[in-house]
């Protein structure tokens, strides 16, 4: 694993944007795996700036987001599709039809999960996967568990996740209880991975996930087994690993 400790949140986003830009410049038809949450917003802001300066084009890029809340339509302000359009897709030249989020409202969610997995495979697999990390060590919505869930699947959200994500909703009861998410195998099949973490609330989980035991109870710990992972943290999230890297 490659660790980068950036001086602050904006610097973390800039470094990550350079990695994404290098991917897209060297392979213009790259398949990107994208993440939501507060953490990657500085990355998306920087990618939009690079695009607006004419330094990068998303003309032939495809993307697949990690996850979506079950029950939310793409037009819902709390859906991850809405988030992605708001922060990235509506400001760059990625083609409509080339970006994807798993759908949270189909009648048959298991069929949607299978279909999403198939679409990623048909696109040639993910070249670069962007990840955040939940306070409980989740990646996408792969929650702490007794086993690593492999493929895209439907999951119950952990109470810690509902607690952490309630800030985006009017009240805790409004946070969906289920989500559809890429699985651990889906994520591990990506050719390269960039994981971002920012703020002191992530310091302890970053240490446990990347310097501790590999176990499904801390889903992000499995990334220690991937051959091409870059972990970019700001100085606060990097506080408990800085002595070790
Ligand atoms: C959500 C997403 C994750 C994300 C996590 C962290 O639960 N499903 O993919 O990594 O939030 O969010 P934040 O970046 O806001 O801390």
């Amino acid at each position: 694993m490659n660790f980068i400790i950036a001086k602050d949140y904006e610097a973390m986003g800039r470094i990550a944007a350079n990695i994404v830009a290098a991917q897209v410049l060297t392979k213009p038809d790259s398949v990107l795996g994208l993440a939501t949450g507060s953490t990657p917003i500085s990355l998306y802001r920087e990618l939009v700036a690079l695009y607006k300066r004419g330094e990068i084009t998303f003309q032939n890029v495809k993307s697949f987001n990690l996850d979506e809340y079950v029950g939310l339509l793409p037009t819902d302000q709390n859906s991850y599709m809405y988030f992605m359009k708001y922060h990235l897709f509506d400001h760059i030249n990625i083609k409509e039809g080339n970006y994807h989020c798993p759908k949270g409202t189909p009648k048959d969610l298991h069929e949607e999960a299978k279909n999403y997995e198939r679409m990623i495979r048909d696109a040639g697999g993910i070249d670069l996967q962007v990840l955040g990390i939940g306070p409980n060590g989740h990646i996408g919505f792969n929650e702490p568990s007794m086993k690593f869930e492999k493929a895209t699947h439907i999951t119950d959200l952990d109470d810690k996740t509902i607690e952490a994500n309630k800030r985006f909703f009017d009240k805790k009861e409004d946070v969906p209880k289920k989500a559809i998410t890429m699985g651990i195998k889906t994520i591990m099949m990506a050719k390269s991975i960039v994981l971002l973490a920012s703020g002191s609330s992530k310091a302890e989980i970053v240490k446990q996930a990347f310097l501790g035991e590999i176990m499904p109870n801390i889903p992000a710990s499995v990334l220690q087994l991937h051959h091409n992972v870059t972990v970019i943290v700001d100085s606060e999230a990097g506080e408990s690993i800085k002595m070790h890297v």
Side-chain angles (χ1 to χ4, degrees):
M1 284 188 135
N2 184 18
F3 289 96
I4 299 173
I5 301 185
K7 79 172 190 319
D8 56 24
Y9 175 72
E10 291 301 325
M12 176 196 74
R14 264 195 311 276
I15 295 166
N18 280 323
I19 294 175
V20 175
Q23 171 67 44
V24 171
L25 288 169
T26 50
K27 186 177 181 230
D29 61 347
S30 284
V31 178
L32 302 178
L34 299 175
T36 51
S38 323
T39 312
I41 292 176
S42 59
L43 155 65
Y44 297 148
R45 207 182 288 140
E46 195 62 30
L47 286 178
V48 170
L50 286 170
Y51 167 69
K52 292 210 159 133
R53 292 203 299 268
E55 292 175 28
I56 179 176
T57 173
F58 294 87
Q59 181 85 27
N60 296 313
V61 166
K62 287 190 179 139
S63 75
F64 290 90
N65 261 77
L66 284 164
D67 47 16
E68 182 58 280
Y69 287 115
V70 165
L72 299 194
L73 286 165
T75 46
D76 189 300
Q77 291 199 13
N78 277 308
S79 77
Y80 284 165
M81 180 55 108
Y82 188 96
F83 174 101
M84 290 308 300
K85 285 170 75 82
Y86 183 83
H87 289 287
L88 184 66
F89 301 150
D90 284 351
H91 312 287
I92 59 174
N93 65 338
I94 191 166
K95 289 185 197 133
E96 211 171 330
N98 275 359
Y99 55 80
H100 310 87
C101 270
K103 293 190 183 68
T105 53
K107 267 211 184 78
D108 191 341
L109 283 162
H110 296 284
E111 192 51 41
E112 168 64 13
K114 267 199 243 159
N115 191 35
Y116 200 65
E117 200 69 36
R118 200 177 311 123
M119 285 199 305
I120 295 172
R121 199 183 53 228
D122 291 350
I126 291 168
D127 292 302
L128 172 62
Q129 175 69 54
V130 175
L131 293 175
I133 183 169
N136 59 2
H138 75 211
I139 45 176
F141 271 132
N142 287 274
E143 299 285 33
S145 160
M146 303 291 282
K147 62 182 173 66
F148 292 116
E149 282 284 349
K150 291 188 270 191
T152 300
H153 61 281
I154 318 304
T155 184
D156 290 322
L157 297 183
D158 205 75
D159 200 49
K160 219 171 165 184
T161 300
I162 293 175
E163 196 55 43
N165 291 3
K166 73 175 186 200
R167 67 191 195 276
F168 299 110
F169 295 79
D170 289 339
K171 47 186 189 316
K172 188 175 171 184
E173 295 71 58
D174 293 347
V175 185
K177 308 281 179 291
K178 284 181 186 291
I180 176 167
T181 179
M182 282 185 195
I184 292 296
K185 184 175 170 195
T186 329
I187 294 169
M188 290 294 277
M189 298 259 293
K191 293 170 191 102
S192 58
I193 295 178
V194 173
L195 182 139
L196 308 178
S198 106
S200 53
S201 65
K202 298 286 172 71
E204 190 50 36
I205 195 65
V206 162
K207 181 176 161 201
Q208 285 176 31
F210 305 125
L211 300 177
E213 295 283 313
I214 298 168
M215 50 186 178
N217 203 27
I218 302 187
S221 64
V222 75
L223 298 174
Q224 294 182 47
L225 299 174
H226 194 281
H227 65 286
N228 189 351
V229 179
T230 302
V231 175
I232 311 175
V233 292
D234 65 7
S235 56
E236 290 182 353
E239 192 53 38
S240 34
I241 59 164
K242 68 176 186 218
M243 258 81 87
H244 306 271
V245 299

